[in-house]
Amino acid sequence: MTQELVSLTIIMAVAAVSPIVAQLIPGKFIPQTVLLLAAGTALGPYGLGVIEVNDAVKLLNELGMAFLFLLAGYEIDPKRLAGHQGKVGLLTWGITLGLAWLVVTFLPFFTKQGINGVATVIALTTTALGTLMPILKERNLEGTPIGDAIISYGTWGELGPILAMAILLSTRTGWQTMLVLGAFLVICLLCAMLPTKALRTGHRLYRFLTENANTSSQTLMRLTTFLLIFLVTISALFELDAVLGAFAAGFILRYIIPDGSKSLEMKLEGVGYGFLIPVFFVVSGAAINVRAVASRPALLVAFIVMLMLIRAVPVYVALSLDKRKNPLSSHHRVTVALYCTTALPIIVAVTSLAVKVGTMQSDTASTLVAAGAITVFLMPLLGSITYQVADIHPVTAVREIAHTPSDWRTIVREHAQVRALLHHQDRLKRMAETLKSLEKQEGLNGLDSRRAELVERARLEIDRQLKELGLDPQLTTQLPHNYRYPKN
């Protein structure tokens, strides 16, 4: 027990220090997740060896992964799946799966590496939506057109591989797999229908649960945790991956409370991001054998490149073909595609399963997990760069500077001002939408009145910047993304 406590103490020390270190890094371009993974690698069995991944730590690791996928499933709006962008996201993921199968099956490189199996195909089609959500919140992308597109395409990048794992990696025959999945689906439907029926009928038990949700009983939190553990246990009994049960629990929770519950969300995030999820990421890092990864650099680089080609390119093409419904600039389409190529938790799950059944070597699994860990750092970084650069229109700026080199300072400043103006407009739009929804509900109180004042200040600021550009605010309310400053 002493060793378990020592390992857990070190893991939680890493979890406590990582946000401070991330804050101190100039530009905050390294997500906390990357620091947790790096610390796990350095302190784990293949590093300094001060963290021992024993049974107790493994259990907390499983619960951390379960909470991560619970929150990922909870973020998915069922209406989004059935909507236009959700359908396009599903079609895009299907194309991604087909491309991955073709590449892994027929490209000699993967055959020589001994990873031309189904597990590698699934790993190349994933999006780490659960990992991305805190990053999107940190970077204020949640609720923006870019953030919505990332969630829509990323949803199927998470859900698709989970279903593929259950179907394609099963050791049962086809009809047995379908029977087991059907039984699991029936249990999930019952878990979703019973609370929903109680909610609609105003059942006495439901009233009791809601009235005691914020007392020492913590009824809703306890029931949510029970739902998660129950479905993860059912997954284990049915010999399905725990990821499926955890994701289903989050999806069911969103179905029961479609409008969400801020109080419950704060508690779930507190337990998840405050304790269990950092354990999962540190232990995931501890599973990376640095020596094995260093001995196969070609596989590491090739896997990341293949992720970008197989996952990012189809997403970019889909967004480009769907311009009418998703009018994003080319730079922003690249941003969405890069974020959707972030992959780690599913890679950890699928490689662990492949190693367990003997279809993948542990050294190979370490390399693929390391590649997934690198994408958690690399893809959001590249996406952030393209997002920031997009509205500056660098190509146009270079052409203008080539035409009049003596005005390069003015041209650079003006293009930077365009980006700042568009950023203000994005924030104003979100604030205005929030204000409108509040006005429809119960009218404005003192706090909302101050928010209305902030919205008005933002409007005045945009009008001021428009006037500085020589534009009439009465005629120009929204600049197009390809707007070019008039020459002085």
Side-chain angles (χ1 to χ4, degrees):
M1 181 60 72
T2 302
Q3 182 57 49
E4 285 88 342
L5 288 173
V6 170
S7 295
L8 185 58
T9 300
I10 295 171
I11 290 171
M12 293 316 299
V14 171
V17 171
S18 61
I20 300 173
V21 175
Q23 182 71 23
L24 293 175
I25 295 173
K28 304 176 188 177
F29 64 92
I30 299 181
Q32 296 177 34
T33 304
V34 175
L35 299 176
L36 295 171
L37 290 164
T41 303
L43 302 175
Y46 300 107
L48 298 177
V50 295
I51 294 177
E52 181 180 319
V53 185
N54 42 51
D55 290 341
V57 173
K58 285 179 180 177
L59 177 59
L60 290 175
N61 174 57
E62 288 291 319
L63 290 174
M65 184 169 66
F67 256 86
L68 181 66
F69 282 97
L70 169 77
L71 292 170
Y74 179 75
E75 291 289 347
I76 296 174
D77 183 356
K79 295 178 181 177
R80 190 190 298 273
L81 289 178
H84 172 78
Q85 205 166 44
K87 293 175 182 176
V88 175
L90 173 59
L91 177 62
T92 304
W93 182 80
I95 293 171
T96 300
L97 182 66
L99 288 174
W101 180 80
L102 289 172
V103 168
V104 171
T105 303
F106 296 105
L107 197 67
F109 175 82
F110 285 97
T111 304
K112 290 178 181 177
Q113 297 290 332
I115 53 170
N116 57 337
V118 176
T120 308
V121 173
I122 295 174
L124 285 168
T125 67
T126 180
T127 296
L129 185 62
T131 306
L132 279 176
M133 290 311 301
I135 296 175
L136 296 181
K137 290 176 182 178
E138 288 174 11
R139 298 180 177 179
N140 297 318
L141 288 175
E142 198 176 29
T144 66
I146 292 174
D148 290 343
I150 292 170
I151 293 173
S152 293
Y153 285 87
T155 294
W156 285 109
E158 189 108 76
L159 180 57
I162 290 173
L163 296 175
M165 284 173 61
I167 297 171
L168 301 177
L169 293 180
S170 175
T171 56
R172 304 181 181 91
T173 60
W175 70 269
Q176 288 176 328
T177 300
M178 291 299 111
L179 187 63
V180 168
L181 288 175
F184 182 78
L185 178 61
V186 169
I187 293 173
C188 290
L189 289 174
L190 289 174
C191 291
M193 291 170 60
L194 292 177
T196 304
K197 187 175 181 180
L199 172 62
R200 289 173 180 170
T201 58
H203 195 276
R204 187 181 303 172
L205 176 60
Y206 181 79
R207 291 198 300 271
F208 170 79
L209 294 175
T210 52
E211 289 169 0
N212 290 273
N214 295 314
T215 66
S216 59
S217 299
Q218 292 293 320
T219 49
L220 289 182
M221 183 63 185
R222 291 185 188 184
L223 277 176
T224 301
T225 307
F226 166 72
L227 174 66
L228 173 63
I229 302 298
F230 173 70
L231 289 179
V232 168
T233 303
I234 293 296
S235 298
L237 292 174
F238 285 179
E239 297 182 1
L240 299 169
D241 197 90
V243 168
L244 180 62
F247 199 83
F251 198 74
I252 290 169
L253 187 62
R254 171 59 74 179
Y255 177 78
I256 296 171
I257 44 176
D259 296 328
S261 169
K262 290 295 182 183
S263 174
L264 181 60
E265 289 165 19
M266 287 181 65
K267 294 167 188 174
L268 289 173
E269 290 180 354
V271 174
Y273 292 118
F275 177 33
L276 293 171
I277 293 175
V279 173
F280 166 70
F281 282 119
V282 173
V283 174
S284 296
I288 298 174
N289 186 340
V290 179
R291 292 183 179 86
V293 175
S295 66
R296 306 181 74 176
L299 176 60
L300 180 73
V301 174
F303 191 80
I304 295 173
V305 172
M306 285 297 108
L307 271 172
M308 296 183 70
L309 293 176
I310 291 172
R311 185 69 184 133
V313 173
V315 170
Y316 178 83
V317 172
L319 286 168
S320 300
L321 296 176
D322 198 31
K323 279 185 180 179
R324 186 168 298 178
K325 294 286 185 179
N326 295 292
L328 298 175
S329 68
S330 60
H331 293 79
H332 289 160
R333 294 196 295 273
V334 171
T335 298
V336 173
L338 288 170
Y339 272 100
C340 286
T341 314
T342 303
L344 179 67
I346 292 290
I347 293 180
V348 173
V350 75
T351 54
S352 298
L353 187 58
V355 170
K356 190 181 299 182
V357 299
T359 58
M360 183 179 290
Q361 296 179 354
S362 58
D363 288 357
T364 303
S366 284
T367 305
L368 299 191
V369 170
I374 291 172
T375 65
V376 175
F377 162 71
L378 183 62
M379 301 308 168
L381 174 62
L382 295 177
S384 177
I385 291 172
T386 58
Y387 179 72
Q388 294 177 18
V389 168
D391 295 323
I392 298 178
H393 298 287
V395 175
T396 304
V398 169
R399 288 174 181 169
E400 292 177 357
I401 291 172
H403 187 261
T404 53
S406 59
D407 293 340
W408 70 269
R409 290 187 180 85
T410 302
I411 293 169
V412 170
R413 185 179 69 252
E414 288 175 346
H415 279 263
Q417 287 175 335
V418 165
R419 180 192 172 276
L421 179 58
L422 291 171
H423 179 66
H424 283 312
Q425 288 180 321
D426 287 340
R427 293 183 63 185
L428 172 63
K429 183 179 179 182
R430 292 198 297 272
M431 293 170 67
E433 288 175 351
T434 302
L435 184 64
K436 188 181 294 184
S437 65
L438 290 171
E439 288 173 343
K440 288 180 180 178
Q441 292 174 7
E442 299 178 356
L444 296 175
N445 54 32
L447 177 63
D448 297 330
S449 297
R450 288 195 293 275
R451 190 175 293 174
E453 183 181 348
L454 288 174
V455 171
E456 185 58 31
R457 286 183 183 178
R459 288 187 178 126
L460 291 173
E461 173 64 16
I462 287 180
D463 287 350
R464 183 186 67 77
Q465 293 195 33
L466 285 169
K467 289 177 181 178
E468 286 183 359
L469 298 176
L471 302 172
D472 186 354
Q474 301 298 323
L475 302 176
T476 307
T477 57
Q478 179 70 37
L479 289 177
H481 283 288
N482 59 354
Y483 173 76
R484 290 180 59 186
Y485 272 94
K487 286 292 182 181
N488 292 333

